[in-house]
Amino acid sequence: MHIIEVTSLQQPGVDVFSTLTEAQLRNRLDATKGLFIAESPKVISVALNAGYEPTALLCERKHIEGDAADIIARCGDIPVYTGERALLAQLTGYTLTRGVLCAMRRRQLPAIDEVCRDARRVVVIDGVTDTTNIGAIFRSAAALGIDAVLLSRQSCDPLNRRSIRVSMGSVFLVPWTWVDDPIADLHRCHFRTAAMALRHDNITLDDPLLKQEPRLAIVMGTEGDGLASEVIDGADYVVRIPMAHQVDSLNVAAAAAVAFWELRQL
């Protein structure tokens, strides 16, 4: 255990937790040199179980022999920066969830062919930029049998700190990657596509045709603008969730959970 006391906001080595932006952590030029921040013992444990490599910990002093003890033991001989709760909150700009953060290395993402090879149900997240929605969709995907998640490059990074926390670590459990042309790429991988959208030619989510599809991709868009017309036009199905009380739509994360449950493979 390599404990380092944090005594000032300029402490050497803590920039990964304080001054580096999400974009700087991500390192777009070389994903293998990128980092992300996992928050809370439970989420960090899920990441470690999935084989992600820790590089440093930031931990409130009282948690070193408490909630974070097992995590620290599993992380080996990496720096453990520690200090009082107020100083660490000032350093990071937020109060630490359960008193511990872990900087971890990113991995090179797989190609879409690899992600989809053995999948039967996948979701495409197209242009969703809200970190909370991304995390919630991943959590539902893991819980409700989605085999992979594909994201357009306009979507939020799933390894954003808040996305990871909202997902409760589910971003480490479901294979995912970026995709440039979702409909064409999925057709190439022998998937039929179901665009979730409100349009005159749609079918309802409980239509038997959808469950009969051996390989189906559920395409979700933003709540405001929805899916682009070219995405909807290229899909095999346009699908809506039946609503009551004159409600026209659900939050994208809620809609995803409903779709995942209804279209799951038994």
Side-chain angles (χ1 to χ4, degrees):
M1 189 186 307
H2 186 198
I3 304 295
I4 301 171
E5 186 73 22
V6 177
T7 57
S8 78
L9 300 181
Q10 288 73 44
Q11 182 84 25
V14 298
D15 57 333
V16 65
F17 300 108
S18 57
T19 60
L20 295 185
T21 66
E22 288 285 350
Q24 289 170 327
L25 287 171
R26 186 170 167 182
N27 195 335
R28 291 178 181 270
L29 295 179
D30 186 350
T32 61
K33 295 181 180 177
L35 300 170
F36 64 87
I37 304 298
E39 184 176 5
S40 86
K42 181 175 181 178
V43 171
I44 296 168
S45 180
V46 175
L48 291 172
N49 290 343
Y52 284 89
E53 179 189 351
T55 63
L57 285 159
L58 183 69
C59 183
E60 290 179 24
R61 188 181 296 108
K62 67 178 182 179
H63 290 300
I64 288 178
E65 296 182 357
D67 289 348
D70 289 343
I71 294 298
I72 292 171
R74 291 185 63 186
C75 284
D77 189 26
I78 65 172
V80 180
Y81 297 97
T82 190
E84 294 299 334
R85 182 181 181 87
L87 177 61
L88 298 190
Q90 190 177 0
L91 179 76
T92 61
Y94 51 88
T95 301
L96 277 60
T97 302
R98 299 293 297 276
V100 60
L101 301 177
C102 185
M104 311 188 89
R105 294 196 188 281
R106 289 176 178 261
R107 295 173 175 169
Q108 188 71 44
L109 289 174
I112 183 175
D113 304 73
E114 181 182 345
V115 168
C116 292
R117 182 176 296 120
D118 298 317
R120 297 188 299 168
R121 291 290 183 265
V122 304
V123 61
V124 177
I125 303 175
D126 189 10
V128 177
T129 58
D130 183 273
T131 56
T132 299
N133 283 333
I134 293 290
I137 292 170
F138 264 88
R139 189 171 185 181
S140 294
L144 300 175
I146 295 298
D147 300 311
V149 178
L150 308 174
L151 300 102
S152 70
R153 296 188 186 275
Q154 295 75 38
S155 297
C156 173
D157 177 20
L159 295 186
N160 172 284
R161 179 184 62 87
R162 183 167 176 80
S163 295
I164 294 171
R165 180 162 65 84
V166 171
S167 81
M168 291 301 293
S170 295
V171 295
F172 309 124
L173 302 178
V174 184
W176 66 273
T177 195
W178 301 106
V179 61
D180 293 308
D181 190 345
I183 300 300
D185 286 344
L186 283 161
H187 284 162
R188 180 173 54 79
C189 292
H190 308 294
F191 273 83
R192 301 272 278 175
T193 52
M196 303 296 295
L198 298 176
R199 208 169 72 168
H200 69 280
D201 58 347
N202 57 33
I203 62 175
T204 59
L205 183 65
D206 56 355
D207 192 303
L209 285 172
L210 296 171
K211 275 200 170 181
Q212 292 169 9
E213 290 289 354
R215 308 188 85 192
L216 186 67
I218 304 162
V219 188
M220 311 292 303
T222 64
E223 294 173 51
D225 298 330
L227 293 169
S229 57
E230 58 266 26
V231 173
I232 300 173
D233 290 340
D236 298 294
Y237 302 101
V238 183
V239 182
R240 65 177 173 87
I241 299 173
M243 300 283 174
H245 299 292
Q246 298 181 330
V247 175
D248 62 357
S249 63
L250 294 172
N251 163 277
V252 65
V258 172
F260 297 166
W261 170 257
E262 178 64 29
L263 299 178
R264 71 196 186 282
Q265 290 260 307
L266 299 177

mmCIF file of all heavy atoms in Angstrom, residues 112-160:
data_model
loop_
_atom_site.group_PDB
_atom_site.id
_atom_site.type_symbol
_atom_site.label_atom_id
_atom_site.label_comp_id
_atom_site.label_asym_id
_atom_site.label_seq_id
_atom_site.Cartn_x
_atom_site.Cartn_y
_atom_site.Cartn_z
ATOM 1 N N ILE A 112 -17.047 -3.741 -34.708
ATOM 2 C CA ILE A 112 -18.465 -4.087 -34.626
ATOM 3 C C ILE A 112 -18.706 -5.558 -34.958
ATOM 4 O O ILE A 112 -19.551 -6.216 -34.346
ATOM 5 C CB ILE A 112 -19.316 -3.169 -35.535
ATOM 6 C CG1 ILE A 112 -20.797 -3.517 -35.376
ATOM 7 C CG2 ILE A 112 -18.855 -3.245 -36.972
ATOM 8 C CD1 ILE A 112 -21.719 -2.587 -36.132
ATOM 9 N N ASP A 113 -17.943 -6.108 -35.878
ATOM 10 C CA ASP A 113 -18.117 -7.524 -36.236
ATOM 11 C C ASP A 113 -17.869 -8.432 -35.045
ATOM 12 O O ASP A 113 -18.589 -9.413 -34.830
ATOM 13 C CB ASP A 113 -17.169 -7.900 -37.384
ATOM 14 C CG ASP A 113 -17.353 -7.020 -38.599
ATOM 15 O OD1 ASP A 113 -16.928 -5.842 -38.540
ATOM 16 O OD2 ASP A 113 -17.916 -7.504 -39.598
ATOM 17 N N GLU A 114 -16.863 -8.104 -34.266
ATOM 18 C CA GLU A 114 -16.551 -8.911 -33.083
ATOM 19 C C GLU A 114 -17.641 -8.782 -32.034
ATOM 20 O O GLU A 114 -18.063 -9.775 -31.417
ATOM 21 C CB GLU A 114 -15.202 -8.471 -32.502
ATOM 22 C CG GLU A 114 -14.777 -9.254 -31.280
ATOM 23 C CD GLU A 114 -13.459 -8.766 -30.712
ATOM 24 O OE1 GLU A 114 -12.743 -8.016 -31.418
ATOM 25 O OE2 GLU A 114 -13.137 -9.120 -29.555
ATOM 26 N N VAL A 115 -18.103 -7.559 -31.798
ATOM 27 C CA VAL A 115 -19.130 -7.320 -30.788
ATOM 28 C C VAL A 115 -20.423 -8.050 -31.144
ATOM 29 O O VAL A 115 -21.114 -8.586 -30.273
ATOM 30 C CB VAL A 115 -19.386 -5.796 -30.646
ATOM 31 C CG1 VAL A 115 -20.636 -5.529 -29.819
ATOM 32 C CG2 VAL A 115 -18.192 -5.124 -30.002
ATOM 33 N N CYS A 116 -20.751 -8.092 -32.430
ATOM 34 C CA CYS A 116 -22.036 -8.641 -32.864
ATOM 35 C C CYS A 116 -21.988 -10.123 -33.245
ATOM 36 O O CYS A 116 -23.037 -10.706 -33.538
ATOM 37 C CB CYS A 116 -22.557 -7.839 -34.055
ATOM 38 S SG CYS A 116 -23.032 -6.148 -33.656
ATOM 39 N N ARG A 117 -20.818 -10.715 -33.237
ATOM 40 C CA ARG A 117 -20.653 -12.065 -33.801
ATOM 41 C C ARG A 117 -21.662 -13.062 -33.226
ATOM 42 O O ARG A 117 -22.326 -13.797 -33.960
ATOM 43 C CB ARG A 117 -19.230 -12.552 -33.577
ATOM 44 C CG ARG A 117 -18.967 -13.945 -34.177
ATOM 45 C CD ARG A 117 -17.516 -14.351 -34.026
ATOM 46 N NE ARG A 117 -16.638 -13.457 -34.770
ATOM 47 C CZ ARG A 117 -15.671 -12.720 -34.220
ATOM 48 N NH1 ARG A 117 -15.460 -12.784 -32.911
ATOM 49 N NH2 ARG A 117 -14.932 -11.937 -34.965
ATOM 50 N N ASP A 118 -21.780 -13.132 -31.914
ATOM 51 C CA ASP A 118 -22.666 -14.118 -31.289
ATOM 52 C C ASP A 118 -23.909 -13.481 -30.669
ATOM 53 O O ASP A 118 -24.639 -14.126 -29.910
ATOM 54 C CB ASP A 118 -21.896 -14.886 -30.203
ATOM 55 C CG ASP A 118 -20.715 -15.660 -30.770
ATOM 56 O OD1 ASP A 118 -20.883 -16.282 -31.836
ATOM 57 O OD2 ASP A 118 -19.628 -15.627 -30.153
ATOM 58 N N ALA A 119 -24.151 -12.217 -30.981
ATOM 59 C CA ALA A 119 -25.265 -11.490 -30.365
ATOM 60 C C ALA A 119 -26.582 -11.789 -31.077
ATOM 61 O O ALA A 119 -26.621 -12.063 -32.274
ATOM 62 C CB ALA A 119 -24.983 -9.991 -30.408
ATOM 63 N N ARG A 120 -27.662 -11.706 -30.322
ATOM 64 C CA ARG A 120 -29.007 -11.846 -30.884
ATOM 65 C C ARG A 120 -29.841 -10.585 -30.680
ATOM 66 O O ARG A 120 -30.735 -10.299 -31.453
ATOM 67 C CB ARG A 120 -29.712 -13.049 -30.261
ATOM 68 C CG ARG A 120 -29.036 -14.382 -30.544
ATOM 69 C CD ARG A 120 -29.882 -15.539 -30.071
ATOM 70 N NE ARG A 120 -30.110 -15.486 -28.616
ATOM 71 C CZ ARG A 120 -31.001 -16.247 -27.987
ATOM 72 N NH1 ARG A 120 -31.766 -17.083 -28.672
ATOM 73 N NH2 ARG A 120 -31.136 -16.157 -26.674
ATOM 74 N N ARG A 121 -29.541 -9.856 -29.620
ATOM 75 C CA ARG A 121 -30.236 -8.598 -29.333
ATOM 76 C C ARG A 121 -29.190 -7.534 -29.007
ATOM 77 O O ARG A 121 -28.382 -7.713 -28.087
ATOM 78 C CB ARG A 121 -31.204 -8.741 -28.156
ATOM 79 C CG ARG A 121 -32.419 -9.616 -28.430
ATOM 80 C CD ARG A 121 -33.370 -8.933 -29.412
ATOM 81 N NE ARG A 121 -34.581 -9.701 -29.652
ATOM 82 C CZ ARG A 121 -34.756 -10.549 -30.657
ATOM 83 N NH1 ARG A 121 -33.740 -10.799 -31.505
ATOM 84 N NH2 ARG A 121 -35.903 -11.161 -30.844
ATOM 85 N N VAL A 122 -29.193 -6.453 -29.770
ATOM 86 C CA VAL A 122 -28.270 -5.348 -29.498
ATOM 87 C C VAL A 122 -29.068 -4.049 -29.484
ATOM 88 O O VAL A 122 -30.180 -3.968 -30.018
ATOM 89 C CB VAL A 122 -27.131 -5.256 -30.536
ATOM 90 C CG1 VAL A 122 -26.363 -6.567 -30.623
ATOM 91 C CG2 VAL A 122 -27.661 -4.852 -31.901
ATOM 92 N N VAL A 123 -28.497 -3.024 -28.878
ATOM 93 C CA VAL A 123 -29.103 -1.701 -28.912
ATOM 94 C C VAL A 123 -28.123 -0.730 -29.563
ATOM 95 O O VAL A 123 -26.911 -0.817 -29.354
ATOM 96 C CB VAL A 123 -29.506 -1.205 -27.502
ATOM 97 C CG1 VAL A 123 -28.307 -1.093 -26.575
ATOM 98 C CG2 VAL A 123 -30.228 0.136 -27.591
ATOM 99 N N VAL A 124 -28.665 0.169 -30.367
ATOM 100 C CA VAL A 124 -27.895 1.265 -30.935
ATOM 101 C C VAL A 124 -28.317 2.545 -30.238
ATOM 102 O O VAL A 124 -29.515 2.878 -30.199
ATOM 103 C CB VAL A 124 -28.134 1.402 -32.451
ATOM 104 C CG1 VAL A 124 -27.371 2.610 -32.996
ATOM 105 C CG2 VAL A 124 -27.728 0.137 -33.177
ATOM 106 N N ILE A 125 -27.366 3.270 -29.659
ATOM 107 C CA ILE A 125 -27.626 4.561 -29.034
ATOM 108 C C ILE A 125 -27.134 5.620 -30.004
ATOM 109 O O ILE A 125 -25.936 5.771 -30.218
ATOM 110 C CB ILE A 125 -26.912 4.676 -27.675
ATOM 111 C CG1 ILE A 125 -27.352 3.537 -26.742
ATOM 112 C CG2 ILE A 125 -27.171 6.023 -27.042
ATOM 113 C CD1 ILE A 125 -26.599 3.501 -25.421
ATOM 114 N N ASP A 126 -28.067 6.345 -30.602
ATOM 115 C CA ASP A 126 -27.738 7.265 -31.683
ATOM 116 C C ASP A 126 -27.917 8.722 -31.233
ATOM 117 O O ASP A 126 -29.040 9.213 -31.100
ATOM 118 C CB ASP A 126 -28.630 6.978 -32.894
ATOM 119 C CG ASP A 126 -28.205 7.758 -34.127
ATOM 120 O OD1 ASP A 126 -27.122 8.371 -34.101
ATOM 121 O OD2 ASP A 126 -28.954 7.746 -35.113
ATOM 122 N N GLY A 127 -26.800 9.390 -30.953
ATOM 123 C CA GLY A 127 -26.844 10.807 -30.648
ATOM 124 C C GLY A 127 -27.330 11.163 -29.264
ATOM 125 O O GLY A 127 -27.695 12.315 -29.011
ATOM 126 N N VAL A 128 -27.323 10.224 -28.332
ATOM 127 C CA VAL A 128 -27.748 10.517 -26.945
ATOM 128 C C VAL A 128 -26.540 11.062 -26.182
ATOM 129 O O VAL A 128 -25.525 10.383 -26.045
ATOM 130 C CB VAL A 128 -28.300 9.256 -26.254
ATOM 131 C CG1 VAL A 128 -28.666 9.556 -24.803
ATOM 132 C CG2 VAL A 128 -29.520 8.730 -27.011
ATOM 133 N N THR A 129 -26.660 12.277 -25.684
ATOM 134 C CA THR A 129 -25.516 12.947 -25.061
ATOM 135 C C THR A 129 -25.648 13.125 -23.554
ATOM 136 O O THR A 129 -24.719 13.603 -22.919
ATOM 137 C CB THR A 129 -25.303 14.329 -25.698
ATOM 138 O OG1 THR A 129 -26.492 15.116 -25.545
ATOM 139 C CG2 THR A 129 -24.966 14.205 -27.179
ATOM 140 N N ASP A 130 -26.769 12.757 -22.988
ATOM 141 C CA ASP A 130 -26.957 12.895 -21.544
ATOM 142 C C ASP A 130 -26.291 11.716 -20.825
ATOM 143 O O ASP A 130 -26.634 10.552 -21.073
ATOM 144 C CB ASP A 130 -28.448 12.945 -21.213
ATOM 145 C CG ASP A 130 -28.703 13.163 -19.737
ATOM 146 O OD1 ASP A 130 -28.741 12.166 -18.986
ATOM 147 O OD2 ASP A 130 -28.833 14.325 -19.328
ATOM 148 N N THR A 131 -25.356 12.017 -19.923
ATOM 149 C CA THR A 131 -24.588 10.956 -19.260
ATOM 150 C C THR A 131 -25.469 10.053 -18.400
ATOM 151 O O THR A 131 -25.236 8.836 -18.319
ATOM 152 C CB THR A 131 -23.478 11.567 -18.388
ATOM 153 O OG1 THR A 131 -24.053 12.491 -17.458
ATOM 154 C CG2 THR A 131 -22.460 12.293 -19.237
ATOM 155 N N THR A 132 -26.490 10.644 -17.769
ATOM 156 C CA THR A 132 -27.390 9.850 -16.937
ATOM 157 C C THR A 132 -28.165 8.843 -17.782
ATOM 158 O O THR A 132 -28.314 7.674 -17.400
ATOM 159 C CB THR A 132 -28.363 10.773 -16.187
ATOM 160 O OG1 THR A 132 -27.622 11.652 -15.336
ATOM 161 C CG2 THR A 132 -29.335 9.970 -15.327
ATOM 162 N N ASN A 133 -28.651 9.277 -18.938
ATOM 163 C CA ASN A 133 -29.380 8.363 -19.819
ATOM 164 C C ASN A 133 -28.486 7.244 -20.331
ATOM 165 O O ASN A 133 -28.910 6.080 -20.403
ATOM 166 C CB ASN A 133 -29.972 9.133 -20.999
ATOM 167 C CG ASN A 133 -31.219 9.920 -20.618
ATOM 168 O OD1 ASN A 133 -31.936 9.557 -19.689
ATOM 169 N ND2 ASN A 133 -31.476 10.997 -21.331
ATOM 170 N N ILE A 134 -27.253 7.569 -20.690
ATOM 171 C CA ILE A 134 -26.326 6.535 -21.157
ATOM 172 C C ILE A 134 -26.119 5.480 -20.069
ATOM 173 O O ILE A 134 -26.201 4.272 -20.315
ATOM 174 C CB ILE A 134 -24.973 7.151 -21.561
ATOM 175 C CG1 ILE A 134 -25.126 8.048 -22.798
ATOM 176 C CG2 ILE A 134 -23.928 6.055 -21.826
ATOM 177 C CD1 ILE A 134 -25.421 7.323 -24.081
ATOM 178 N N GLY A 135 -25.846 5.923 -18.849
ATOM 179 C CA GLY A 135 -25.640 4.986 -17.749
ATOM 180 C C GLY A 135 -26.864 4.131 -17.490
ATOM 181 O O GLY A 135 -26.762 2.909 -17.270
ATOM 182 N N ALA A 136 -28.046 4.744 -17.516
ATOM 183 C CA ALA A 136 -29.277 3.999 -17.258
ATOM 184 C C ALA A 136 -29.553 2.980 -18.358
ATOM 185 O O ALA A 136 -30.018 1.864 -18.085
ATOM 186 C CB ALA A 136 -30.446 4.973 -17.130
ATOM 187 N N ILE A 137 -29.288 3.342 -19.615
ATOM 188 C CA ILE A 137 -29.488 2.394 -20.718
ATOM 189 C C ILE A 137 -28.561 1.194 -20.569
ATOM 190 O O ILE A 137 -28.963 0.041 -20.762
ATOM 191 C CB ILE A 137 -29.284 3.091 -22.079
ATOM 192 C CG1 ILE A 137 -30.400 4.116 -22.330
ATOM 193 C CG2 ILE A 137 -29.261 2.059 -23.214
ATOM 194 C CD1 ILE A 137 -30.154 5.013 -23.539
ATOM 195 N N PHE A 138 -27.305 1.434 -20.216
ATOM 196 C CA PHE A 138 -26.375 0.321 -20.007
ATOM 197 C C PHE A 138 -26.837 -0.586 -18.866
ATOM 198 O O PHE A 138 -26.735 -1.819 -18.957
ATOM 199 C CB PHE A 138 -24.971 0.844 -19.717
ATOM 200 C CG PHE A 138 -24.080 0.910 -20.921
ATOM 201 C CD1 PHE A 138 -24.057 2.034 -21.727
ATOM 202 C CD2 PHE A 138 -23.270 -0.158 -21.264
ATOM 203 C CE1 PHE A 138 -23.239 2.105 -22.849
ATOM 204 C CE2 PHE A 138 -22.444 -0.109 -22.383
ATOM 205 C CZ PHE A 138 -22.426 1.032 -23.181
ATOM 206 N N ARG A 139 -27.349 0.010 -17.794
ATOM 207 C CA ARG A 139 -27.795 -0.811 -16.663
ATOM 208 C C ARG A 139 -28.965 -1.699 -17.078
ATOM 209 O O ARG A 139 -29.008 -2.895 -16.739
ATOM 210 C CB ARG A 139 -28.189 0.084 -15.488
ATOM 211 C CG ARG A 139 -28.460 -0.691 -14.206
ATOM 212 C CD ARG A 139 -28.641 0.229 -13.028
ATOM 213 N NE ARG A 139 -28.786 -0.539 -11.795
ATOM 214 C CZ ARG A 139 -28.975 0.005 -10.597
ATOM 215 N NH1 ARG A 139 -29.017 1.326 -10.474
ATOM 216 N NH2 ARG A 139 -29.111 -0.760 -9.530
ATOM 217 N N SER A 140 -29.925 -1.129 -17.821
ATOM 218 C CA SER A 140 -31.054 -1.924 -18.307
ATOM 219 C C SER A 140 -30.597 -2.975 -19.304
ATOM 220 O O SER A 140 -31.093 -4.103 -19.307
ATOM 221 C CB SER A 140 -32.098 -1.015 -18.952
ATOM 222 O OG SER A 140 -32.683 -0.151 -17.999
ATOM 223 N N ALA A 141 -29.647 -2.613 -20.176
ATOM 224 C CA ALA A 141 -29.142 -3.570 -21.165
ATOM 225 C C ALA A 141 -28.541 -4.793 -20.483
ATOM 226 O O ALA A 141 -28.799 -5.938 -20.883
ATOM 227 C CB ALA A 141 -28.106 -2.897 -22.061
ATOM 228 N N ALA A 142 -27.735 -4.551 -19.446
ATOM 229 C CA ALA A 142 -27.111 -5.672 -18.732
ATOM 230 C C ALA A 142 -28.149 -6.525 -18.021
ATOM 231 O O ALA A 142 -28.067 -7.758 -18.023
ATOM 232 C CB ALA A 142 -26.087 -5.127 -17.733
ATOM 233 N N ALA A 143 -29.136 -5.874 -17.424
ATOM 234 C CA ALA A 143 -30.126 -6.599 -16.629
ATOM 235 C C ALA A 143 -31.134 -7.354 -17.476
ATOM 236 O O ALA A 143 -31.652 -8.399 -17.055
ATOM 237 C CB ALA A 143 -30.860 -5.623 -15.711
ATOM 238 N N LEU A 144 -31.425 -6.855 -18.686
ATOM 239 C CA LEU A 144 -32.540 -7.378 -19.467
ATOM 240 C C LEU A 144 -32.106 -8.113 -20.727
ATOM 241 O O LEU A 144 -32.880 -8.274 -21.660
ATOM 242 C CB LEU A 144 -33.498 -6.228 -19.819
ATOM 243 C CG LEU A 144 -34.098 -5.519 -18.593
ATOM 244 C CD1 LEU A 144 -34.932 -4.316 -19.026
ATOM 245 C CD2 LEU A 144 -34.934 -6.478 -17.751
ATOM 246 N N GLY A 145 -30.859 -8.571 -20.760
ATOM 247 C CA GLY A 145 -30.446 -9.521 -21.782
ATOM 248 C C GLY A 145 -30.004 -8.958 -23.108
ATOM 249 O O GLY A 145 -29.982 -9.679 -24.110
ATOM 250 N N ILE A 146 -29.607 -7.677 -23.151
ATOM 251 C CA ILE A 146 -29.048 -7.134 -24.382
ATOM 252 C C ILE A 146 -27.594 -7.592 -24.494
ATOM 253 O O ILE A 146 -26.820 -7.474 -23.544
ATOM 254 C CB ILE A 146 -29.143 -5.597 -24.392
ATOM 255 C CG1 ILE A 146 -30.603 -5.175 -24.418
ATOM 256 C CG2 ILE A 146 -28.394 -5.003 -25.574
ATOM 257 C CD1 ILE A 146 -31.385 -5.613 -25.632
ATOM 258 N N ASP A 147 -27.216 -8.110 -25.651
ATOM 259 C CA ASP A 147 -25.899 -8.719 -25.813
ATOM 260 C C ASP A 147 -24.784 -7.722 -26.097
ATOM 261 O O ASP A 147 -23.611 -8.011 -25.847
ATOM 262 C CB ASP A 147 -25.943 -9.740 -26.953
ATOM 263 C CG ASP A 147 -26.946 -10.856 -26.685
ATOM 264 O OD1 ASP A 147 -26.908 -11.420 -25.577
ATOM 265 O OD2 ASP A 147 -27.769 -11.140 -27.565
ATOM 266 N N ALA A 148 -25.120 -6.547 -26.642
ATOM 267 C CA ALA A 148 -24.094 -5.562 -26.979
ATOM 268 C C ALA A 148 -24.733 -4.193 -27.141
ATOM 269 O O ALA A 148 -25.927 -4.073 -27.446
ATOM 270 C CB ALA A 148 -23.354 -5.953 -28.255
ATOM 271 N N VAL A 149 -23.912 -3.159 -26.956
ATOM 272 C CA VAL A 149 -24.347 -1.772 -27.129
ATOM 273 C C VAL A 149 -23.452 -1.126 -28.181
ATOM 274 O O VAL A 149 -22.224 -1.205 -28.099
ATOM 275 C CB VAL A 149 -24.258 -0.983 -25.810
ATOM 276 C CG1 VAL A 149 -24.673 0.468 -26.020
ATOM 277 C CG2 VAL A 149 -25.111 -1.638 -24.722
ATOM 278 N N LEU A 150 -24.075 -0.486 -29.165
ATOM 279 C CA LEU A 150 -23.354 0.247 -30.200
ATOM 280 C C LEU A 150 -23.738 1.720 -30.080
ATOM 281 O O LEU A 150 -24.915 2.044 -29.922
ATOM 282 C CB LEU A 150 -23.720 -0.275 -31.587
ATOM 283 C CG LEU A 150 -23.587 -1.791 -31.792
ATOM 284 C CD1 LEU A 150 -24.128 -2.184 -33.159
ATOM 285 C CD2 LEU A 150 -22.143 -2.228 -31.634
ATOM 286 N N LEU A 151 -22.755 2.608 -30.157
ATOM 287 C CA LEU A 151 -23.022 4.030 -30.003
ATOM 288 C C LEU A 151 -22.531 4.812 -31.209
ATOM 289 O O LEU A 151 -21.400 4.585 -31.674
ATOM 290 C CB LEU A 151 -22.334 4.584 -28.745
ATOM 291 C CG LEU A 151 -22.724 3.962 -27.409
ATOM 292 C CD1 LEU A 151 -21.636 2.976 -26.970
ATOM 293 C CD2 LEU A 151 -22.927 5.020 -26.345
ATOM 294 N N SER A 152 -23.366 5.726 -31.708
ATOM 295 C CA SER A 152 -22.889 6.652 -32.727
ATOM 296 C C SER A 152 -21.862 7.569 -32.074
ATOM 297 O O SER A 152 -21.873 7.795 -30.859
ATOM 298 C CB SER A 152 -24.051 7.477 -33.279
ATOM 299 O OG SER A 152 -24.519 8.404 -32.315
ATOM 300 N N ARG A 153 -20.986 8.124 -32.870
ATOM 301 C CA ARG A 153 -19.904 8.941 -32.317
ATOM 302 C C ARG A 153 -20.388 10.284 -31.799
ATOM 303 O O ARG A 153 -19.621 11.012 -31.168
ATOM 304 C CB ARG A 153 -18.800 9.115 -33.371
ATOM 305 C CG ARG A 153 -18.152 7.778 -33.733
ATOM 306 C CD ARG A 153 -16.948 7.928 -34.622
ATOM 307 N NE ARG A 153 -16.457 6.631 -35.056
ATOM 308 C CZ ARG A 153 -15.617 5.863 -34.364
ATOM 309 N NH1 ARG A 153 -15.149 6.297 -33.205
ATOM 310 N NH2 ARG A 153 -15.221 4.696 -34.839
ATOM 311 N N GLN A 154 -21.648 10.610 -32.028
ATOM 312 C CA GLN A 154 -22.215 11.824 -31.458
ATOM 313 C C GLN A 154 -22.769 11.590 -30.056
ATOM 314 O O GLN A 154 -23.217 12.523 -29.387
ATOM 315 C CB GLN A 154 -23.350 12.353 -32.357
ATOM 316 C CG GLN A 154 -22.914 12.813 -33.745
ATOM 317 C CD GLN A 154 -22.608 11.662 -34.673
ATOM 318 O OE1 GLN A 154 -23.291 10.631 -34.638
ATOM 319 N NE2 GLN A 154 -21.591 11.816 -35.505
ATOM 320 N N SER A 155 -22.730 10.348 -29.603
ATOM 321 C CA SER A 155 -23.259 10.012 -28.277
ATOM 322 C C SER A 155 -22.217 10.236 -27.197
ATOM 323 O O SER A 155 -21.022 10.338 -27.467
ATOM 324 C CB SER A 155 -23.716 8.547 -28.253
ATOM 325 O OG SER A 155 -24.776 8.326 -29.150
ATOM 326 N N CYS A 156 -22.690 10.281 -25.964
ATOM 327 C CA CYS A 156 -21.807 10.453 -24.805
ATOM 328 C C CYS A 156 -20.936 9.217 -24.602
ATOM 329 O O CYS A 156 -21.356 8.089 -24.859
ATOM 330 C CB CYS A 156 -22.672 10.700 -23.568
ATOM 331 S SG CYS A 156 -21.765 10.736 -22.020
ATOM 332 N N ASP A 157 -19.729 9.430 -24.129
ATOM 333 C CA ASP A 157 -18.793 8.350 -23.813
ATOM 334 C C ASP A 157 -19.318 7.535 -22.628
ATOM 335 O O ASP A 157 -19.543 8.082 -21.551
ATOM 336 C CB ASP A 157 -17.432 8.972 -23.469
ATOM 337 C CG ASP A 157 -16.405 7.947 -23.045
ATOM 338 O OD1 ASP A 157 -16.581 6.758 -23.351
ATOM 339 O OD2 ASP A 157 -15.411 8.358 -22.400
ATOM 340 N N PRO A 158 -19.514 6.219 -22.779
ATOM 341 C CA PRO A 158 -19.983 5.400 -21.659
ATOM 342 C C PRO A 158 -19.026 5.382 -20.467
ATOM 343 O O PRO A 158 -19.451 5.094 -19.338
ATOM 344 C CB PRO A 158 -20.106 4.000 -22.271
ATOM 345 C CG PRO A 158 -20.277 4.242 -23.723
ATOM 346 C CD PRO A 158 -19.443 5.446 -24.029
ATOM 347 N N LEU A 159 -17.735 5.682 -20.699
ATOM 348 C CA LEU A 159 -16.774 5.688 -19.590
ATOM 349 C C LEU A 159 -16.613 7.078 -18.976
ATOM 350 O O LEU A 159 -15.649 7.332 -18.262
ATOM 351 C CB LEU A 159 -15.422 5.142 -20.058
ATOM 352 C CG LEU A 159 -15.435 3.676 -20.483
ATOM 353 C CD1 LEU A 159 -14.025 3.190 -20.795
ATOM 354 C CD2 LEU A 159 -16.072 2.784 -19.418
ATOM 355 N N ASN A 160 -17.557 7.957 -19.228
ATOM 356 C CA ASN A 160 -17.671 9.181 -18.455
ATOM 357 C C ASN A 160 -17.964 8.797 -17.000
ATOM 358 O O ASN A 160 -18.711 7.843 -16.740
ATOM 359 C CB ASN A 160 -18.810 10.015 -19.042
ATOM 360 C CG ASN A 160 -19.173 11.227 -18.225
ATOM 361 O OD1 ASN A 160 -19.817 11.101 -17.183
ATOM 362 N ND2 ASN A 160 -18.792 12.396 -18.684
#
